[in-house]
Amino acid sequence: MSGLLRLTCPSAAMSVMSAVMRGTRRLVHADPALFSNFPFPAVFCRAGSADFLLTCQPNRKFAFKHVKGQKKEQKTQKVKPKVDKQEVEIRQGMTAAALAEAMNRDFDHVLEALLNTSVHLDSLEKDTVLEERWIKEVVTRSGMKFRWAKLSASRERPNRDACRRPPADPTLLVPRPPVVTIMGHVDHGKTTLLDSLRKSQIVSTEAGGITQHIGAFLVQLPTGEKITFLDTPGHAAFSSMRARGANATDIVVLVVAADDGVMNQTVESIEHARRAKVPVIVAVNKCDKPHADPQRVKQELLAHDVVCEEFGGDVQAIHISALKGDNLLALTEATVALAEVLELKAEPTGPVEGLVIESRTDKGKGPVTTAIVQQGTLKRGCVLVAGKSWAKVRFLFDENGCAVREAGPSTAVEVVGWKELPSAGETILEVESEQRAREVVEWRSHDEEQRKLQEEQSAIEQKQKLHLEEYRREREGLSHLSWRQRKVALYRANKTRFATRPSERMQSDQLSLPLIIKGDVDGSVEAILNILDSYDAQQCELEVVHFGIGDISENDVNMAEMFGGSIYGFNVAASRGIEQLAARKGIPLRLHSVIYKLVDQLKEELSAKLPPLVSENITGEASVVAMFDVTVGKKKVPVAGCRVQKGQLDRRFRFRLIRGRDTVWEGSLAALRHHKDDVQTVRAGMECGLSADGDVDFRAGDIVVCFEEVAAPQVTSWDPGF
């Protein structure tokens, strides 16, 4: 039975044993005397008999549980020691730097963990967002385990932005002065026209006679009407500033010189007015000049869909002379009449709405903006929001620099009290309190950050998709190899790529000019950046590393030294200490007050960066007649006997040996002799002997060409358009 139990599984052994015990019990019950001499365990005795305890022997050989004292051979099992792996908390959209910080490792550890994967390590930066699978791969390869960060049930952030108020009740509207923008080509007399209207000398204060800012002025006519004039720059560099002038205005006065006619900026001003859907009045200026032709100007305007009244259109054309003040009253009357037709009205009460025309930083006032009030009345103490900056108005100044207590609709004022400088063109809205202003600015910053994040995420996904396709194409040719052979092939192909870290790889030899741009106002900096955006020359790379508003500072000089660049300032100053610091560090400091002079010097500096263009000027040709050797000391030197065919041979220049159509040698001469004399030059028709500097095989019939290398300065191909 014990053998049977050992050969069967425990459950089968128990079944067999139970059947045997039942059969034995039946035999014992049938004939107890037959089995009286056999010592059976108690299980075979009757439970109710008196001999139950006496006949039962403590023999439990078939029991599965061992009695005390009985030894059992136990197999010693090797238990692996439990290793506590470091736990890393991961989340979606982790950057490489955030993952390294969560793992308590450096950025290089993440790079090493991603070796031999499809991740493009050259483009992997600290702020690169990793995919979920690569986050897990880095943690797993580092011998750690990951757990997902608990996601808080974040609800969508409520919109806390400030909005324009709804249209006002028509009964509360009152007439307001028109906002008139003077636009046109450079030097066509826009500022002179304003000068005549308000009897001031603005032209004398402009650098080079060119308006380079938006000027906003309130002009009161003798009849009592008020007109707010905006003078926008006519120079090609200030296109965006003209566009802002058109968007803030009710009427555009297009100034065209009668002697010049329609020019490039004239057409551009017409386009700005058309996009802004603003009516136009044509002021034909300089009609007092001998060669003035107002009719030609009106006919040229027809080509740009500006039809004057005498040609059956609805555009008024006034012939004026801004310098002499001729017919200015007719121009103002036409402006007032058009304003009456437009029925310009605004609500002087309620929250303020306006537009930032220009912004700058003043040494004594801090951030200052020139603004046009469109709705409401702007007063001291108002809390304003413009873009991502806000202000509690401390002071208001008019165009003459005089402090005013309030400014109504269509009034241009300087606003002081901004915490940060807003950008020109931003909408100004009044809010209830400073806390509300902070909420609006915070929401706008958050909203812009989310938009940028979405754009960056889509760009990352697109780049990862392209890289994955490239990765699959690279491995298509290795699919027939085993994994070990594939690993070796990939290592050989990429060992030069992974030889250094991305930050330590060699930089390209591309020429570059880093720039730091500083301007007096936001519009000037914007205009310069727009010019630089048109840079399309491939010879030298142009890189703007920093731009800002205000005078040149020590930080600008240090940054220029770090990047090896130049500082360009427009209408800003640099203290004597800053100039000495820049000179000591060898930093070019270029300060200008006229925009085209700044661009001209920038083009000169770009051209100076370029290597010179080397050209060849052939001075003479000679044919080899014979070869002979000349003994110099103990050495024989081969000498070619030549006859000069054209020009002259000059020993100072370089020579080229031509055999047939091939160039055999190019270099300098060791000696040039005429008969037995060493000479500097040999002219046409003369014979000479020459020996080359080096081992050259001259043959009869070869042509020797003498040429001069002329280095000419290279000029940049960039053309900003003016």
Side-chain angles (χ1 to χ4, degrees), residues 142-160:
S142 303
M144 305 176 188
K145 60 182 180 179
F146 59 85
R147 61 180 174 84
W148 288 101
K150 293 183 179 179
L151 299 177
S152 58
S154 58
R155 293 175 297 177
E156 187 176 352
R157 190 167 181 174
N159 190 338
R160 300 295 297 166

mmCIF file with all atom_site columns, all heavy atoms in Angstrom, residues 142-160:
data_model
loop_
_atom_site.group_PDB
_atom_site.id
_atom_site.type_symbol
_atom_site.label_atom_id
_atom_site.label_alt_id
_atom_site.label_comp_id
_atom_site.label_asym_id
_atom_site.label_entity_id
_atom_site.label_seq_id
_atom_site.pdbx_PDB_ins_code
_atom_site.Cartn_x
_atom_site.Cartn_y
_atom_site.Cartn_z
_atom_site.occupancy
_atom_site.B_iso_or_equiv
_atom_site.pdbx_formal_charge
_atom_site.auth_seq_id
_atom_site.auth_comp_id
_atom_site.auth_asym_id
_atom_site.auth_atom_id
_atom_site.pdbx_PDB_model_num
ATOM 1   N N   . SER A 1 142 ? 17.027  52.324 -16.291 1.00 0.00 ? 142 SER A N   1
ATOM 2   C CA  . SER A 1 142 ? 17.802  52.815 -15.152 1.00 0.00 ? 142 SER A CA  1
ATOM 3   C C   . SER A 1 142 ? 17.652  51.933 -13.925 1.00 0.00 ? 142 SER A C   1
ATOM 4   O O   . SER A 1 142 ? 18.159  52.280 -12.846 1.00 0.00 ? 142 SER A O   1
ATOM 5   C CB  . SER A 1 142 ? 17.373  54.247 -14.821 1.00 0.00 ? 142 SER A CB  1
ATOM 6   O OG  . SER A 1 142 ? 17.536  55.085 -15.938 1.00 0.00 ? 142 SER A OG  1
ATOM 7   N N   . GLY A 1 143 ? 16.935  50.805 -14.048 1.00 0.00 ? 143 GLY A N   1
ATOM 8   C CA  . GLY A 1 143 ? 16.751  49.905 -12.914 1.00 0.00 ? 143 GLY A CA  1
ATOM 9   C C   . GLY A 1 143 ? 15.787  50.433 -11.885 1.00 0.00 ? 143 GLY A C   1
ATOM 10  O O   . GLY A 1 143 ? 15.914  50.120 -10.695 1.00 0.00 ? 143 GLY A O   1
ATOM 11  N N   . MET A 1 144 ? 14.828  51.207 -12.293 1.00 0.00 ? 144 MET A N   1
ATOM 12  C CA  . MET A 1 144 ? 13.847  51.787 -11.382 1.00 0.00 ? 144 MET A CA  1
ATOM 13  C C   . MET A 1 144 ? 12.457  51.366 -11.819 1.00 0.00 ? 144 MET A C   1
ATOM 14  O O   . MET A 1 144 ? 12.274  50.760 -12.878 1.00 0.00 ? 144 MET A O   1
ATOM 15  C CB  . MET A 1 144 ? 13.961  53.320 -11.379 1.00 0.00 ? 144 MET A CB  1
ATOM 16  C CG  . MET A 1 144 ? 15.351  53.855 -11.068 1.00 0.00 ? 144 MET A CG  1
ATOM 17  S SD  . MET A 1 144 ? 15.421  55.648 -11.193 1.00 0.00 ? 144 MET A SD  1
ATOM 18  C CE  . MET A 1 144 ? 17.183  55.936 -11.010 1.00 0.00 ? 144 MET A CE  1
ATOM 19  N N   . LYS A 1 145 ? 11.495  51.653 -10.996 1.00 0.00 ? 145 LYS A N   1
ATOM 20  C CA  . LYS A 1 145 ? 10.109  51.399 -11.342 1.00 0.00 ? 145 LYS A CA  1
ATOM 21  C C   . LYS A 1 145 ? 9.354   52.721 -11.303 1.00 0.00 ? 145 LYS A C   1
ATOM 22  O O   . LYS A 1 145 ? 9.740   53.656 -10.594 1.00 0.00 ? 145 LYS A O   1
ATOM 23  C CB  . LYS A 1 145 ? 9.476   50.380 -10.395 1.00 0.00 ? 145 LYS A CB  1
ATOM 24  C CG  . LYS A 1 145 ? 9.474   50.787 -8.926  1.00 0.00 ? 145 LYS A CG  1
ATOM 25  C CD  . LYS A 1 145 ? 8.865   49.688 -8.067  1.00 0.00 ? 145 LYS A CD  1
ATOM 26  C CE  . LYS A 1 145 ? 8.862   50.073 -6.581  1.00 0.00 ? 145 LYS A CE  1
ATOM 27  N NZ  . LYS A 1 145 ? 8.264   49.034 -5.743  1.00 0.00 ? 145 LYS A NZ  1
ATOM 28  N N   . PHE A 1 146 ? 8.279   52.782 -12.071 1.00 0.00 ? 146 PHE A N   1
ATOM 29  C CA  . PHE A 1 146 ? 7.551   54.045 -12.190 1.00 0.00 ? 146 PHE A CA  1
ATOM 30  C C   . PHE A 1 146 ? 6.134   53.885 -11.660 1.00 0.00 ? 146 PHE A C   1
ATOM 31  O O   . PHE A 1 146 ? 5.583   52.792 -11.601 1.00 0.00 ? 146 PHE A O   1
ATOM 32  C CB  . PHE A 1 146 ? 7.515   54.506 -13.655 1.00 0.00 ? 146 PHE A CB  1
ATOM 33  C CG  . PHE A 1 146 ? 6.869   53.528 -14.595 1.00 0.00 ? 146 PHE A CG  1
ATOM 34  C CD1 . PHE A 1 146 ? 5.498   53.506 -14.785 1.00 0.00 ? 146 PHE A CD1 1
ATOM 35  C CD2 . PHE A 1 146 ? 7.655   52.601 -15.288 1.00 0.00 ? 146 PHE A CD2 1
ATOM 36  C CE1 . PHE A 1 146 ? 4.914   52.601 -15.649 1.00 0.00 ? 146 PHE A CE1 1
ATOM 37  C CE2 . PHE A 1 146 ? 7.075   51.692 -16.159 1.00 0.00 ? 146 PHE A CE2 1
ATOM 38  C CZ  . PHE A 1 146 ? 5.696   51.691 -16.335 1.00 0.00 ? 146 PHE A CZ  1
ATOM 39  N N   . ARG A 1 147 ? 5.601   55.008 -11.290 1.00 0.00 ? 147 ARG A N   1
ATOM 40  C CA  . ARG A 1 147 ? 4.179   55.079 -10.921 1.00 0.00 ? 147 ARG A CA  1
ATOM 41  C C   . ARG A 1 147 ? 3.646   56.407 -11.453 1.00 0.00 ? 147 ARG A C   1
ATOM 42  O O   . ARG A 1 147 ? 4.353   57.423 -11.481 1.00 0.00 ? 147 ARG A O   1
ATOM 43  C CB  . ARG A 1 147 ? 3.972   54.982 -9.406  1.00 0.00 ? 147 ARG A CB  1
ATOM 44  C CG  . ARG A 1 147 ? 4.623   56.088 -8.597  1.00 0.00 ? 147 ARG A CG  1
ATOM 45  C CD  . ARG A 1 147 ? 4.348   55.904 -7.110  1.00 0.00 ? 147 ARG A CD  1
ATOM 46  N NE  . ARG A 1 147 ? 5.064   56.866 -6.305  1.00 0.00 ? 147 ARG A NE  1
ATOM 47  C CZ  . ARG A 1 147 ? 4.644   58.099 -6.042  1.00 0.00 ? 147 ARG A CZ  1
ATOM 48  N NH1 . ARG A 1 147 ? 3.484   58.501 -6.534  1.00 0.00 ? 147 ARG A NH1 1
ATOM 49  N NH2 . ARG A 1 147 ? 5.363   58.929 -5.316  1.00 0.00 ? 147 ARG A NH2 1
ATOM 50  N N   . TRP A 1 148 ? 2.411   56.354 -11.867 1.00 0.00 ? 148 TRP A N   1
ATOM 51  C CA  . TRP A 1 148 ? 1.808   57.544 -12.437 1.00 0.00 ? 148 TRP A CA  1
ATOM 52  C C   . TRP A 1 148 ? 1.440   58.538 -11.337 1.00 0.00 ? 148 TRP A C   1
ATOM 53  O O   . TRP A 1 148 ? 0.953   58.153 -10.276 1.00 0.00 ? 148 TRP A O   1
ATOM 54  C CB  . TRP A 1 148 ? 0.561   57.194 -13.245 1.00 0.00 ? 148 TRP A CB  1
ATOM 55  C CG  . TRP A 1 148 ? 0.865   56.518 -14.534 1.00 0.00 ? 148 TRP A CG  1
ATOM 56  C CD1 . TRP A 1 148 ? 0.780   55.191 -14.814 1.00 0.00 ? 148 TRP A CD1 1
ATOM 57  C CD2 . TRP A 1 148 ? 1.352   57.143 -15.718 1.00 0.00 ? 148 TRP A CD2 1
ATOM 58  N NE1 . TRP A 1 148 ? 1.174   54.941 -16.094 1.00 0.00 ? 148 TRP A NE1 1
ATOM 59  C CE2 . TRP A 1 148 ? 1.532   56.126 -16.684 1.00 0.00 ? 148 TRP A CE2 1
ATOM 60  C CE3 . TRP A 1 148 ? 1.651   58.450 -16.065 1.00 0.00 ? 148 TRP A CE3 1
ATOM 61  C CZ2 . TRP A 1 148 ? 1.983   56.389 -17.964 1.00 0.00 ? 148 TRP A CZ2 1
ATOM 62  C CZ3 . TRP A 1 148 ? 2.106   58.716 -17.342 1.00 0.00 ? 148 TRP A CZ3 1
ATOM 63  C CH2 . TRP A 1 148 ? 2.270   57.699 -18.275 1.00 0.00 ? 148 TRP A CH2 1
ATOM 64  N N   . ALA A 1 149 ? 1.684   59.780 -11.602 1.00 0.00 ? 149 ALA A N   1
ATOM 65  C CA  . ALA A 1 149 ? 1.316   60.821 -10.645 1.00 0.00 ? 149 ALA A CA  1
ATOM 66  C C   . ALA A 1 149 ? -0.202  60.932 -10.581 1.00 0.00 ? 149 ALA A C   1
ATOM 67  O O   . ALA A 1 149 ? -0.907  60.729 -11.582 1.00 0.00 ? 149 ALA A O   1
ATOM 68  C CB  . ALA A 1 149 ? 1.929   62.156 -11.050 1.00 0.00 ? 149 ALA A CB  1
ATOM 69  N N   . LYS A 1 150 ? -0.685  61.210 -9.394  1.00 0.00 ? 150 LYS A N   1
ATOM 70  C CA  . LYS A 1 150 ? -2.123  61.356 -9.225  1.00 0.00 ? 150 LYS A CA  1
ATOM 71  C C   . LYS A 1 150 ? -2.571  62.637 -9.916  1.00 0.00 ? 150 LYS A C   1
ATOM 72  O O   . LYS A 1 150 ? -2.038  63.713 -9.667  1.00 0.00 ? 150 LYS A O   1
ATOM 73  C CB  . LYS A 1 150 ? -2.489  61.406 -7.737  1.00 0.00 ? 150 LYS A CB  1
ATOM 74  C CG  . LYS A 1 150 ? -2.237  60.093 -7.018  1.00 0.00 ? 150 LYS A CG  1
ATOM 75  C CD  . LYS A 1 150 ? -2.675  60.176 -5.567  1.00 0.00 ? 150 LYS A CD  1
ATOM 76  C CE  . LYS A 1 150 ? -2.452  58.849 -4.846  1.00 0.00 ? 150 LYS A CE  1
ATOM 77  N NZ  . LYS A 1 150 ? -2.856  58.922 -3.422  1.00 0.00 ? 150 LYS A NZ  1
ATOM 78  N N   . LEU A 1 151 ? -3.536  62.461 -10.775 1.00 0.00 ? 151 LEU A N   1
ATOM 79  C CA  . LEU A 1 151 ? -4.052  63.611 -11.508 1.00 0.00 ? 151 LEU A CA  1
ATOM 80  C C   . LEU A 1 151 ? -5.197  64.232 -10.725 1.00 0.00 ? 151 LEU A C   1
ATOM 81  O O   . LEU A 1 151 ? -6.190  63.570 -10.416 1.00 0.00 ? 151 LEU A O   1
ATOM 82  C CB  . LEU A 1 151 ? -4.545  63.178 -12.897 1.00 0.00 ? 151 LEU A CB  1
ATOM 83  C CG  . LEU A 1 151 ? -3.478  62.566 -13.814 1.00 0.00 ? 151 LEU A CG  1
ATOM 84  C CD1 . LEU A 1 151 ? -4.114  62.120 -15.116 1.00 0.00 ? 151 LEU A CD1 1
ATOM 85  C CD2 . LEU A 1 151 ? -2.377  63.565 -14.079 1.00 0.00 ? 151 LEU A CD2 1
ATOM 86  N N   . SER A 1 152 ? -5.011  65.492 -10.394 1.00 0.00 ? 152 SER A N   1
ATOM 87  C CA  . SER A 1 152 ? -6.083  66.194 -9.703  1.00 0.00 ? 152 SER A CA  1
ATOM 88  C C   . SER A 1 152 ? -7.183  66.506 -10.709 1.00 0.00 ? 152 SER A C   1
ATOM 89  O O   . SER A 1 152 ? -6.918  66.842 -11.866 1.00 0.00 ? 152 SER A O   1
ATOM 90  C CB  . SER A 1 152 ? -5.571  67.493 -9.085  1.00 0.00 ? 152 SER A CB  1
ATOM 91  O OG  . SER A 1 152 ? -5.010  68.315 -10.077 1.00 0.00 ? 152 SER A OG  1
ATOM 92  N N   . ALA A 1 153 ? -8.360  66.395 -10.261 1.00 0.00 ? 153 ALA A N   1
ATOM 93  C CA  . ALA A 1 153 ? -9.501  66.649 -11.140 1.00 0.00 ? 153 ALA A CA  1
ATOM 94  C C   . ALA A 1 153 ? -9.589  68.148 -11.393 1.00 0.00 ? 153 ALA A C   1
ATOM 95  O O   . ALA A 1 153 ? -10.341 68.878 -10.751 1.00 0.00 ? 153 ALA A O   1
ATOM 96  C CB  . ALA A 1 153 ? -10.790 66.133 -10.496 1.00 0.00 ? 153 ALA A CB  1
ATOM 97  N N   . SER A 1 154 ? -8.759  68.608 -12.323 1.00 0.00 ? 154 SER A N   1
ATOM 98  C CA  . SER A 1 154 ? -8.693  70.046 -12.593 1.00 0.00 ? 154 SER A CA  1
ATOM 99  C C   . SER A 1 154 ? -9.785  70.406 -13.593 1.00 0.00 ? 154 SER A C   1
ATOM 100 O O   . SER A 1 154 ? -9.859  69.860 -14.689 1.00 0.00 ? 154 SER A O   1
ATOM 101 C CB  . SER A 1 154 ? -7.327  70.423 -13.165 1.00 0.00 ? 154 SER A CB  1
ATOM 102 O OG  . SER A 1 154 ? -7.078  69.690 -14.330 1.00 0.00 ? 154 SER A OG  1
ATOM 103 N N   . ARG A 1 155 ? -10.583 71.341 -13.195 1.00 0.00 ? 155 ARG A N   1
ATOM 104 C CA  . ARG A 1 155 ? -11.622 71.811 -14.095 1.00 0.00 ? 155 ARG A CA  1
ATOM 105 C C   . ARG A 1 155 ? -11.041 72.866 -15.033 1.00 0.00 ? 155 ARG A C   1
ATOM 106 O O   . ARG A 1 155 ? -9.975  73.408 -14.796 1.00 0.00 ? 155 ARG A O   1
ATOM 107 C CB  . ARG A 1 155 ? -12.768 72.409 -13.285 1.00 0.00 ? 155 ARG A CB  1
ATOM 108 C CG  . ARG A 1 155 ? -13.532 71.378 -12.444 1.00 0.00 ? 155 ARG A CG  1
ATOM 109 C CD  . ARG A 1 155 ? -14.558 72.059 -11.573 1.00 0.00 ? 155 ARG A CD  1
ATOM 110 N NE  . ARG A 1 155 ? -13.922 72.951 -10.609 1.00 0.00 ? 155 ARG A NE  1
ATOM 111 C CZ  . ARG A 1 155 ? -14.594 73.715 -9.754  1.00 0.00 ? 155 ARG A CZ  1
ATOM 112 N NH1 . ARG A 1 155 ? -15.907 73.702 -9.757  1.00 0.00 ? 155 ARG A NH1 1
ATOM 113 N NH2 . ARG A 1 155 ? -13.953 74.491 -8.909  1.00 0.00 ? 155 ARG A NH2 1
ATOM 114 N N   . GLU A 1 156 ? -11.762 73.120 -16.089 1.00 0.00 ? 156 GLU A N   1
ATOM 115 C CA  . GLU A 1 156 ? -11.301 74.120 -17.047 1.00 0.00 ? 156 GLU A CA  1
ATOM 116 C C   . GLU A 1 156 ? -11.261 75.482 -16.375 1.00 0.00 ? 156 GLU A C   1
ATOM 117 O O   . GLU A 1 156 ? -12.197 75.882 -15.673 1.00 0.00 ? 156 GLU A O   1
ATOM 118 C CB  . GLU A 1 156 ? -12.239 74.149 -18.250 1.00 0.00 ? 156 GLU A CB  1
ATOM 119 C CG  . GLU A 1 156 ? -11.750 75.040 -19.373 1.00 0.00 ? 156 GLU A CG  1
ATOM 120 C CD  . GLU A 1 156 ? -12.656 74.970 -20.587 1.00 0.00 ? 156 GLU A CD  1
ATOM 121 O OE1 . GLU A 1 156 ? -13.561 74.113 -20.575 1.00 0.00 ? 156 GLU A OE1 1
ATOM 122 O OE2 . GLU A 1 156 ? -12.461 75.767 -21.503 1.00 0.00 ? 156 GLU A OE2 1
ATOM 123 N N   . ARG A 1 157 ? -10.154 76.183 -16.617 1.00 0.00 ? 157 ARG A N   1
ATOM 124 C CA  . ARG A 1 157 ? -9.962  77.469 -15.955 1.00 0.00 ? 157 ARG A CA  1
ATOM 125 C C   . ARG A 1 157 ? -10.965 78.477 -16.496 1.00 0.00 ? 157 ARG A C   1
ATOM 126 O O   . ARG A 1 157 ? -11.113 78.634 -17.714 1.00 0.00 ? 157 ARG A O   1
ATOM 127 C CB  . ARG A 1 157 ? -8.539  77.965 -16.218 1.00 0.00 ? 157 ARG A CB  1
ATOM 128 C CG  . ARG A 1 157 ? -8.145  79.163 -15.378 1.00 0.00 ? 157 ARG A CG  1
ATOM 129 C CD  . ARG A 1 157 ? -6.658  79.376 -15.460 1.00 0.00 ? 157 ARG A CD  1
ATOM 130 N NE  . ARG A 1 157 ? -6.242  80.499 -14.652 1.00 0.00 ? 157 ARG A NE  1
ATOM 131 C CZ  . ARG A 1 157 ? -4.985  80.841 -14.445 1.00 0.00 ? 157 ARG A CZ  1
ATOM 132 N NH1 . ARG A 1 157 ? -4.019  80.112 -14.986 1.00 0.00 ? 157 ARG A NH1 1
ATOM 133 N NH2 . ARG A 1 157 ? -4.671  81.876 -13.712 1.00 0.00 ? 157 ARG A NH2 1
ATOM 134 N N   . PRO A 1 158 ? -11.671 79.172 -15.620 1.00 0.00 ? 158 PRO A N   1
ATOM 135 C CA  . PRO A 1 158 ? -12.677 80.130 -16.112 1.00 0.00 ? 158 PRO A CA  1
ATOM 136 C C   . PRO A 1 158 ? -12.008 81.311 -16.800 1.00 0.00 ? 158 PRO A C   1
ATOM 137 O O   . PRO A 1 158 ? -10.914 81.740 -16.435 1.00 0.00 ? 158 PRO A O   1
ATOM 138 C CB  . PRO A 1 158 ? -13.410 80.560 -14.836 1.00 0.00 ? 158 PRO A CB  1
ATOM 139 C CG  . PRO A 1 158 ? -12.436 80.312 -13.726 1.00 0.00 ? 158 PRO A CG  1
ATOM 140 C CD  . PRO A 1 158 ? -11.635 79.117 -14.146 1.00 0.00 ? 158 PRO A CD  1
ATOM 141 N N   . ASN A 1 159 ? -12.689 81.829 -17.798 1.00 0.00 ? 159 ASN A N   1
ATOM 142 C CA  . ASN A 1 159 ? -12.180 82.980 -18.549 1.00 0.00 ? 159 ASN A CA  1
ATOM 143 C C   . ASN A 1 159 ? -12.340 84.241 -17.700 1.00 0.00 ? 159 ASN A C   1
ATOM 144 O O   . ASN A 1 159 ? -13.449 84.637 -17.353 1.00 0.00 ? 159 ASN A O   1
ATOM 145 C CB  . ASN A 1 159 ? -12.950 83.118 -19.863 1.00 0.00 ? 159 ASN A CB  1
ATOM 146 C CG  . ASN A 1 159 ? -12.328 84.131 -20.794 1.00 0.00 ? 159 ASN A CG  1
ATOM 147 O OD1 . ASN A 1 159 ? -11.589 85.011 -20.361 1.00 0.00 ? 159 ASN A OD1 1
ATOM 148 N ND2 . ASN A 1 159 ? -12.619 84.009 -22.073 1.00 0.00 ? 159 ASN A ND2 1
ATOM 149 N N   . ARG A 1 160 ? -11.207 84.859 -17.375 1.00 0.00 ? 160 ARG A N   1
ATOM 150 C CA  . ARG A 1 160 ? -11.217 86.066 -16.550 1.00 0.00 ? 160 ARG A CA  1
ATOM 151 C C   . ARG A 1 160 ? -10.764 87.278 -17.346 1.00 0.00 ? 160 ARG A C   1
ATOM 152 O O   . ARG A 1 160 ? -10.310 88.282 -16.778 1.00 0.00 ? 160 ARG A O   1
ATOM 153 C CB  . ARG A 1 160 ? -10.289 85.869 -15.345 1.00 0.00 ? 160 ARG A CB  1
ATOM 154 C CG  . ARG A 1 160 ? -10.666 84.713 -14.442 1.00 0.00 ? 160 ARG A CG  1
ATOM 155 C CD  . ARG A 1 160 ? -11.994 84.951 -13.761 1.00 0.00 ? 160 ARG A CD  1
ATOM 156 N NE  . ARG A 1 160 ? -11.946 86.114 -12.882 1.00 0.00 ? 160 ARG A NE  1
ATOM 157 C CZ  . ARG A 1 160 ? -13.018 86.705 -12.373 1.00 0.00 ? 160 ARG A CZ  1
ATOM 158 N NH1 . ARG A 1 160 ? -14.220 86.250 -12.688 1.00 0.00 ? 160 ARG A NH1 1
ATOM 159 N NH2 . ARG A 1 160 ? -12.889 87.747 -11.582 1.00 0.00 ? 160 ARG A NH2 1
#
